[in-house]
Amino acid sequence: MSAPGYPSPHQGPGSYSTAPYPVPHGGYGDPNHAPPLVDFHMGYNHKQLHPGQPVMHQPVPMPEYGVPQMGPGYGGPMPGPEFGAPHSGPPAAISPAPAAVVPVGVPPGLEYLTQIDQLLIHQKVELLEVFIGFETNNQYEIKNSLGQKIYKAKEKNDCCTRNCCGALRSFDMKIKDNTDREVIRLIRPFRCASCCCPCCLQELEVQAPPGTTIGYVSQDWNPCVPKFSIKGANKETVMKLEGPCFACNCCGDVNFELTGEDGGKPIGRISKQWGGLIKEVFTYTDNFGIQFPMDLDVKMKAVLMGACFLIDFMFFEKD
């Protein structure tokens, strides 16, 4: 039996024409965005953002004066009284709109992260890299589990650094929301990559908003297994991240397991998705998935995003 929808103006009372908002398979996202990635599975029993769950979108500019306000979630004006409905008396006084509730301790622009436990990160195709091998600034789209874009990220450095230092290069990466406001900045200094030397290991600083440090991703020395510490603003270890002995993408996903400070049972993961033989060999784009507890501190969710970018550069960036 199909779910009831909105009353149709061409049908009698009690008749319904379409399913209620949001519709299955993606909701009312931007038609320019990619479709939902239904084949992505993290392998955990966790609460996912499914088509039947409302989506709190990123803030958008307010409508201009005189423009009809749109209803929440669908492309039409706010519904008025039904045609032919009995008169219910004089109009009631309009109460003021309630003030927006801002979560305490959440950096501006990261409010959306409080209600999700999964992110998908897709590197954009750079044609200049594909045809002539010239290294350009990496660009990424960050989406929810429905494939709706919530952030975009772009690397910033100079041409000489990109093409001479390769995957070890330093960079500043800006992460912006859908209103083009910078909400996160990632800073990676130049460090060595030798697992035999315990000094000058990789580190990434995460700022949100830009200029305010909220955490670090630090590589832990280990000659065999890639390990990282997820740290707070004072460099206190909050979580651990551990990858496989051979972090190479050969015909399957590569998983970096997320655990608590003292190890133990995994509470999440960062996965490099296998994109198929042709895509992996002939393109420079990578796809990642991040899964974390729903109630994790939103600042640590942002730091895990930084960890994903660091892992991409260290193990999957083609020189």
Side-chain angles (χ1 to χ4, degrees):
M1 179 177 177
S2 59
Y6 292 111
S8 171
H10 303 291
Q11 296 176 343
S15 299
Y16 297 89
S17 58
T18 58
Y21 174 79
V23 299
H25 309 299
Y28 290 86
D30 190 328
N32 296 324
H33 295 171
L37 303 180
V38 296
D39 58 342
F40 180 76
H41 301 284
M42 297 300 297
Y44 284 91
N45 293 324
H46 63 282
K47 181 179 178 182
Q48 295 187 3
L49 186 63
H50 54 80
Q53 178 179 348
V55 178
M56 183 177 72
H57 295 281
Q58 291 289 349
V60 296
M62 296 298 294
E64 297 181 1
Y65 178 77
V67 178
Q69 295 186 358
M70 310 299 289
Y74 56 92
M78 294 296 292
E82 186 178 358
F83 178 77
H87 184 64
S88 57
I94 301 176
S95 59
V101 179
V102 179
V104 178
V106 176
L110 303 189
E111 296 85 0
Y112 183 81
L113 295 180
T114 60
Q115 64 170 345
I116 59 175
D117 62 354
Q118 182 174 303
L119 288 170
L120 306 176
I121 298 180
H122 303 278
Q123 185 176 356
K124 298 178 66 175
V125 177
E126 300 293 338
L127 297 180
L128 198 59
E129 291 186 7
V130 173
F131 290 108
I132 66 175
F134 183 83
E135 184 67 34
T136 60
N137 285 322
N138 287 357
Q139 298 185 59
Y140 303 84
E141 290 184 345
I142 304 170
K143 305 178 181 180
N144 60 19
S145 60
L146 296 179
Q148 297 169 323
K149 185 174 71 173
I150 55 178
Y151 298 111
K152 57 185 177 181
K154 184 175 182 179
E155 172 192 4
K156 181 181 179 181
N157 56 25
D158 58 86
C159 176
C160 180
T161 299
R162 291 194 307 272
N163 291 277
C164 295
C165 299
L168 295 177
R169 62 185 183 265
S170 60
F171 62 77
D172 287 358
M173 183 173 293
K174 296 181 178 181
I175 300 179
K176 299 181 179 181
D177 63 11
N178 288 333
T179 64
D180 208 37
R181 174 183 57 169
E182 184 180 358
V183 296
I184 303 173
R185 181 173 297 174
L186 309 178
I187 301 175
R188 181 199 187 192
F190 178 82
R191 298 288 178 88
C192 67
S194 175
C195 61
C196 300
C197 180
C199 62
C200 295
L201 297 177
Q202 295 290 318
E203 186 175 72
L204 182 79
E205 179 183 353
V206 182
Q207 299 179 353
T212 302
T213 301
I214 61 171
Y216 297 86
V217 182
S218 300
Q219 181 185 11
D220 297 332
W221 182 80
N222 189 289
C224 300
V225 178
K227 293 186 176 182
F228 300 88
S229 292
I230 308 299
K231 301 180 178 181
N234 297 320
K235 291 198 172 183
E236 71 282 7
T237 300
V238 178
M239 293 175 290
K240 294 285 188 177
L241 196 62
E242 182 176 329
C245 184
F246 297 100
C248 59
N249 196 218
C250 298
C251 302
D253 295 351
V254 180
N255 297 321
F256 290 75
E257 302 293 342
L258 180 68
T259 63
E261 178 185 358
D262 300 325
K265 183 179 179 180
I267 59 175
R269 65 169 50 148
I270 296 177
S271 296
K272 166 66 173 71
Q273 296 176 266
W274 169 251
L277 181 62
I278 295 179
K279 182 177 180 180
E280 295 291 337
V281 173
F282 296 102
T283 67
Y284 291 80
T285 60
D286 295 321
N287 296 329
F288 288 86
I290 309 177
Q291 191 264 325
F292 38 70
M294 180 74 74
D295 58 352
L296 182 65
D297 183 0
V298 68
K299 296 178 182 179
M300 291 299 101
K301 293 181 180 182
V303 175
L304 286 175
M305 290 171 56
C308 182
F309 290 117
L310 181 60
I311 288 172
D312 182 29
F313 275 86
M314 289 182 61
F315 302 105
F316 305 106
E317 179 75 6
K318 298 179 177 67
D319 291 331

